[in-house]
Amino acid sequence: MKIRLSKQDSHTCQLMGADTVKLCEMQGFAPRLDNKKQSRTEANVYGFKAEFAVARLFNLELPTVNVATDGGVDLWFGDFTIDVKFTNDEYGNLIFDSMEKFKSQIGILVGRTDDPDVMRVNGWMDRANFKKTCHSHNFGYGDRLYLKHDELLPIESLWSRLMQHKFQ
């Protein structure tokens, strides 16, 4: 499902991405970057765009800048925790460094499109089923756990599950 961000949302993501990098620099440490093809600022901007896309889709509170850590939680739907993972590929993989790093109850994969204001919400998986069905692969920086985009559940099914929980 493609989600178009408003110009205001995209602008806010630009500011939040730049602010995150600046805050890290002001603290005296270089922000981590595993991807040599883009700046850390650009990576942060697109990470925020992915989170904004999911927040807008589910009408959730928008993400904020976290200086130290987000604790593995990007968004909340009631008491459900959501970790939004961004990929520079429109259809990529939902990747976690380890099960210990998958702290939220739900992981959602969002991909980049040719339009910088449009994000593709590829699908989702709950932590328990990710653990049962994930694969291990070294993408060039150590073994990671992943599911391909077409192994994920459709995002519409997450909406249905969350609404059932909310109204039961």
Side-chain angles (χ1 to χ4, degrees):
M1 172 181 291
K2 288 185 178 179
I3 304 294
R4 177 172 293 283
L5 298 176
S6 69
K7 294 295 181 189
Q8 181 179 0
D9 283 350
S10 289
H11 177 74
T12 300
C13 291
Q14 289 285 342
L15 298 177
M16 291 171 70
D19 285 351
T20 299
V21 171
K22 189 64 174 174
L23 287 167
C24 289
E25 291 170 351
M26 290 168 58
Q27 293 297 318
F29 58 90
R32 183 181 78 159
L33 179 63
D34 292 331
N35 180 357
K36 305 280 190 249
K37 297 177 186 174
Q38 69 185 157
S39 71
R40 184 68 254 181
T41 299
E42 182 183 13
N44 281 333
V45 167
Y46 274 94
F48 282 119
K49 285 182 175 187
E51 293 173 13
F52 266 66
V54 173
R56 293 297 187 203
L57 178 62
F58 289 103
N59 195 30
L60 304 176
E61 187 174 318
L62 294 173
T64 59
V65 171
N66 299 295
V67 178
T69 180
D70 62 12
V73 178
D74 296 316
L75 301 169
W76 291 82
F77 186 102
D79 288 337
F80 284 97
T81 54
I82 300 171
D83 193 348
V84 177
K85 293 297 188 181
F86 172 75
T87 174
N88 278 305
D89 299 320
E90 187 167 354
Y91 301 97
N93 298 318
L94 177 63
I95 302 173
F96 286 91
D97 291 345
S98 65
M99 283 311 299
E100 291 76 33
K101 297 282 184 156
F102 192 159
K103 298 198 181 285
S104 289
Q105 295 159 291
I106 298 164
I108 298 178
L109 176 65
V110 177
R112 184 176 184 167
T113 69
D114 291 335
D115 184 332
D117 294 328
V118 176
M119 301 289 106
R120 177 177 292 283
V121 181
N122 284 296
W124 72 285
M125 186 63 63
D126 63 84
R127 187 179 192 284
N129 284 312
F130 182 89
K131 184 176 183 176
K132 289 179 196 173
T133 60
C134 68
H135 318 285
S136 180
H137 182 74
N138 186 336
F139 293 96
Y141 41 89
D143 286 342
R144 302 294 189 263
L145 303 175
Y146 78 97
L147 286 174
K148 295 178 184 177
H149 76 275
D150 58 0
E151 296 175 299
L152 300 174
L153 299 169
I155 199 65
E156 297 85 356
S157 69
L158 178 57
W159 180 88
S160 178
R161 180 185 279 188
L162 294 173
M163 291 303 115
Q164 286 174 8
H165 180 78
K166 181 177 179 177
F167 293 110
Q168 286 183 344

